[in-house]
Amino acid sequence: MSKFIGVLTSGGDCPGLNAAIRGLVRAGQNQYDMQFVGFLDGFRGMAQDRTLELNRKTLSGILVDGGTILGTSRDTPARTREMTDEIVATYNRHHLDALVCLGGDGTHKNAMRLKEAGLNVVTMPKTIDNDIACTDVTFGFNTALGIATEAIDRLHSTATSHHRVMVVEIMGNSAGWLTLGAGIAGGADVILLPEIPYDVDMISAAIKRRARAGKRFSIVAVAEGAITKEDAKVVAELKKQLAATEGEQERDQLEEKIRRLEGARVGHSVKLTQEIEEVTGQESRLTILGHLQRGGTPSSFDRLLATRLGTACARMIHEEKFGNMVAVKGQEIVPVAIEEVANTTNRVPVDHAWVETARLVGTSFGDQ
Ligand code: F6P
């Protein structure tokens, strides 16, 4: 008997989403007699029942395209009962057997809510941040890693000509995988991550050491969520207070204070660049890579990974293993319960092998 499957993409886009949709739909149609309907613009579009037919014509040529043919949004049904009810109604109206959500950490929280509401939900892990728990890797990460590494390579020549400190801000609001990977691959001299709080004086000491050794330029790769040691202490205290606070208004105020100090903050790298210039006395410039890292065609690695995950997802639905994410574990693709994924963030362990590697080649994390 044919199965009817709904598909949506949610949260920030990333390269590989289209390849994953293509893998899912092709395998589902060719191998398992499935029929698919796409919902536009994430959970919002599903609540409003806005659809795109997923057929030969709409799938044609999308393997190499960045973005998502379905569109996306950052709406959060997990926060509103009303949207959850509308999504359930759409699911029933289309007589769906399953709903596939391609997304990151926010999407997994929403998917969990829909699972609790009784839908057969399955998910695929996408994000350039590589911060989804229970999977070795997410698609989108490898492409962004290539873009950020190339940016560092390009900054090297101009940094050398002008004897400047070039600060490059790389995406990653709570996990520093992209900055760490690109920083190592591009040979950054200083890498600043959300997981390892920094001190500007330590950064300055590293840059001055290089100057004494005759290196008149430095590259600082900073994650958008990197945090100073001082702010990290304040955030830890605020989080303690938050855990002990019940009043909604007081909680909102505390959360707002935390938001101003951690995660992606406008102007944080501008301030850091100015401070580096002041303490080192060396001319400094900032480049913010921003959404360039999310755009364009996926790398071959991400096309391959997304196609594997998409086809594995079709099989998982065929086998009726609902309520799971398709995860990469070594060479295997395995199901992992959505609730396990939804409540954890995959942050860089401070003793991770990549951190050790960077330290061994003399990279400073601004912490010692
Ligand atoms: O989660 C992916 C990501 O690109 C983060 O690295 C970044 O902080 C965030 O999304 C930016 O979101 P938006 O596109 O909504 O500005």
Side-chain angles (χ1 to χ4, degrees):
M1 261 226 323
S2 251
K3 277 196 169 75
F4 293 88
I5 316 297
V7 187
L8 61 81
T9 51
S10 172
D13 70 347
C14 75
L17 280 166
N18 286 326
I21 295 169
R22 174 180 171 274
L24 166 74
V25 176
R26 282 211 170 182
Q29 287 174 339
N30 293 345
Q31 306 298 326
Y32 308 117
D33 190 24
M34 291 174 186
Q35 295 184 40
F36 292 87
V37 58
F39 294 103
L40 296 171
D41 305 334
F43 292 106
R44 183 200 310 165
M46 182 157 180
Q48 298 166 342
D49 202 356
R50 290 188 287 115
T51 59
L52 175 77
E53 215 180 298
L54 293 173
N55 54 32
R56 274 196 165 276
K57 194 162 165 232
T58 45
L59 292 186
S60 173
I62 69 168
L63 174 64
V64 301
D65 289 343
T68 159
I69 57 165
L70 292 175
T72 186
S73 66
R74 285 198 183 274
D75 283 330
T76 53
R79 287 197 170 207
T80 70
R81 181 77 245 168
E82 204 186 343
M83 200 191 265
T84 304
D85 290 346
E86 286 164 353
I87 289 170
V88 172
T90 305
Y91 184 96
N92 291 331
R93 197 175 308 118
H94 286 269
H95 304 288
L96 296 181
D97 294 295
L99 173 67
V100 181
C101 306
L102 289 80
D105 47 359
T107 303
H108 282 85
K109 289 198 181 80
N110 291 321
M112 191 172 76
R113 180 70 186 261
L114 297 176
K115 181 177 174 180
E116 283 162 6
L119 305 193
N120 291 333
V121 188
V122 290
T123 62
M124 279 193 240
K126 68 88 220 178
T127 168
I128 65 163
D129 294 350
N130 198 36
D131 61 353
I132 302 182
C134 310
T135 182
D136 292 355
V137 68
T138 61
F139 62 84
F141 175 66
N142 179 268
T143 308
L145 187 62
I147 295 167
T149 302
E150 188 190 336
I152 295 177
D153 289 349
R154 288 177 182 275
L155 287 171
H156 260 102
S157 61
T158 175
T160 315
S161 312
H162 286 269
H163 320 298
R164 283 174 171 158
V165 176
M166 301 302 276
V167 179
V168 53
E169 185 191 284
I170 294 173
M171 274 188 168
N173 46 38
S174 61
W177 293 107
L178 197 52
T179 308
L180 178 59
I184 295 172
D189 308 295
V190 179
I191 295 178
L192 305 176
L193 309 178
E195 295 88 346
I196 304 179
Y198 67 83
D199 182 327
V200 176
D201 289 333
M202 309 281 180
I203 301 173
S204 168
I207 292 171
K208 285 181 177 161
R209 262 197 310 276
R210 279 176 55 76
R212 281 197 298 277
K215 304 274 190 181
R216 297 174 64 202
F217 74 93
S218 288
I219 305 281
V220 178
V222 54
E224 48 175 12
I227 187 166
T228 63
K229 287 188 178 199
E230 227 178 324
D231 286 349
K233 267 194 209 140
V234 179
V235 167
E237 185 49 43
L238 287 169
K239 283 187 176 169
K240 259 194 228 156
Q241 286 177 31
L242 184 65
T245 305
E246 282 183 2
E248 202 176 319
Q249 210 180 336
E250 291 91 328
R251 286 185 67 83
D252 285 351
Q253 282 169 358
L254 286 168
E255 275 167 358
E256 179 53 32
K257 280 188 190 165
I258 293 170
R259 255 197 302 279
R260 275 196 227 132
L261 293 174
E262 75 168 7
R265 285 103 66 216
V266 175
H268 143 253
S269 300
V270 175
K271 186 166 168 258
L272 171 68
T273 308
Q274 284 164 350
E275 284 173 355
I276 289 177
E277 185 164 284
E278 271 163 34
V279 292
T280 60
Q282 209 172 330
E283 200 174 31
S284 305
R285 291 287 187 272
L286 169 66
T287 303
I288 297 177
L289 297 183
H291 291 79
L292 282 175
Q293 296 158 105
R294 292 231 305 257
T297 189
S299 63
S300 47
F301 180 95
D302 275 336
R303 292 180 204 179
L304 175 59
L305 175 62
T307 304
R308 286 185 68 211
L309 286 169
T311 53
C313 188
R315 177 182 297 159
M316 199 164 83
I317 296 168
H318 173 69
E319 292 169 353
E320 308 205 336
K321 292 181 182 160
F322 302 124
N324 292 303
M325 174 183 85
V326 277
V328 181
K329 291 272 161 79
Q331 294 305 309
E332 305 293 316
I333 293 186
V334 297
V336 176
I338 290 173
E339 48 275 27
E340 267 185 60
V341 182
N343 293 318
T344 335
T345 302
N346 175 26
R347 305 186 81 212
V348 177
V350 294
D351 57 353
H352 190 270
W354 289 11
V355 174
E356 196 192 335
T357 302
R359 290 199 198 273
L360 286 172
V361 293
T363 309
S364 164
F365 285 88
D367 60 331
Q368 49 186 251

